Each structure stands twice: as structure tokens, then as C-alpha cells.
Amino acid sequence: MKEDNKFSATIYDPVLFLAINPIRLAVMKELLQYKDKSILDLCCGTGNQLKLLSKNGFKNLHCLDISKAMLKVAQKGGHPIEIYNTDATKTNFDDAIFDIVLISFAIHEKDRKTQEKLVEEAHRRTPRSVYTRFHWLQCQLASTSV
């Protein structure tokens, strides 16, 4: 798995913010009732989804990405988010440790085998719900609601 692209990390938010922010707001709206739940964002990139949640009162936030450059951006702003630099397809977290796992803007860029590993890892980390903006994936997952 490719680890870093420093250039992408520097331009990701300035270039994509206006297009992606409405989706991030929609995710937050759907999660508002779960402010006290533990949330993990797999392949978090620059961490803006969890930064938005943090600004809106969410407390138990965790994110991970394989890219050190993306995580360097994620660390900016002093938000109380636990940040991990690891491969999202094979984390060291215990099984069923998080209430909600988010996968946003990551699945489409991966090959099929990596997509499957990512989804399997997400399900292993939460007993309740994996949230993704890809409807076809939601239909394939046998998730229960939080």
C-alpha cells in the first residue's frame, strides 16, 4: 500500500474542501445522536471529518491513516482526536472496540482486494455499525444500527 504523497496532503483540503464539506456536514448530521459514542475514521486523510465532529461536541474520536503527510495536516488545530499512523486493513485495535467506524473517500481509490480487507477490518472493529457514503456497500454489509 502506498504510504505518502506529501504534495497531495498539502493541496487536498484547499482543492476539495468546497466539494467535500457538504458531505462531511451530512455525515455529522446523521451522527448527532451519537456524540458520546466512540468513533473511528479509517483512512482519515487530513482528519477534517473528525475535526468537524470535534467542533460540534463529539468527544471519543479516533482516526488513522497510512500517510504520515496526511496525518501531519490532521494534527493541526489542536483537536482532541487520537491519531494513529497505520494501515487501515490491518490495525492493532481489539475487536469490537469502537461504536462507529467511518470510511469516507477511501474505498473508491483502492483495488478490490484492498476494499474487501478494509471493510472486513472495519467490521472487526465495531459490533454495531460501519458508516460509509457508498450505498452499494451499505447494502452488502449486514450492519445493525447503533
Side-chain angles (χ1 to χ4, degrees), residues 1 106-117:
M1 199 175 248
I107 294 174
H108 69 282
E109 65 186 27
K110 314 258 186 292
D111 62 71
R112 186 63 177 180
K113 185 177 179 180
T114 304
Q115 290 172 345
E116 290 170 358
K117 286 182 179 180

Side-chain angles (χ1 to χ4, degrees), residues 31-67:
L31 295 175
L32 282 174
Q33 61 187 325
Y34 306 115
K35 283 187 174 186
D36 295 325
K37 300 290 184 185
S38 60
I39 298 174
L40 171 65
D41 188 355
L42 290 177
C43 304
C44 67
T46 61
N48 276 344
Q49 182 68 64
L50 292 190
K51 288 178 183 179
L52 177 64
L53 295 180
S54 175
K55 288 177 188 176
N56 286 277
F58 289 77
K59 301 289 183 206
N60 195 354
L61 303 173
H62 307 261
C63 69
L64 65 83
D65 204 285
I66 198 166
S67 170

Side-chain angles (χ1 to χ4, degrees), residues 74-90:
Q75 292 172 339
K76 292 180 180 178
H79 298 277
I81 300 168
E82 293 293 325
I83 298 174
Y84 309 91
N85 179 220
T86 191
D87 183 343
T89 64
K90 51 186 175 197

Side-chain angles (χ1 to χ4, degrees), residues 84-146:
Y84 309 91
N85 179 220
T86 191
D87 183 343
T89 64
K90 51 186 175 197
T91 70
N92 292 322
F93 296 121
D94 292 335
D95 290 352
I97 193 170
F98 298 101
D99 294 304
I100 297 169
V101 175
L102 305 174
I103 307 171
S104 302
F105 312 116
I107 294 174
H108 69 282
E109 65 186 27
K110 314 258 186 292
D111 62 71
R112 186 63 177 180
K113 185 177 179 180
T114 304
Q115 290 172 345
E116 290 170 358
K117 286 182 179 180
L118 183 59
V119 171
E120 287 171 11
E121 187 69 11
H123 267 286
R124 195 167 68 78
R125 300 304 171 217
T126 180
R128 299 183 180 186
S129 184
V130 174
Y131 181 81
T132 177
R133 293 301 295 174
F134 294 95
H135 180 70
W136 64 268
L137 184 59
Q138 287 178 316
C139 292
Q140 291 180 4
L141 300 176
S143 298
T144 57
S145 61
V146 176

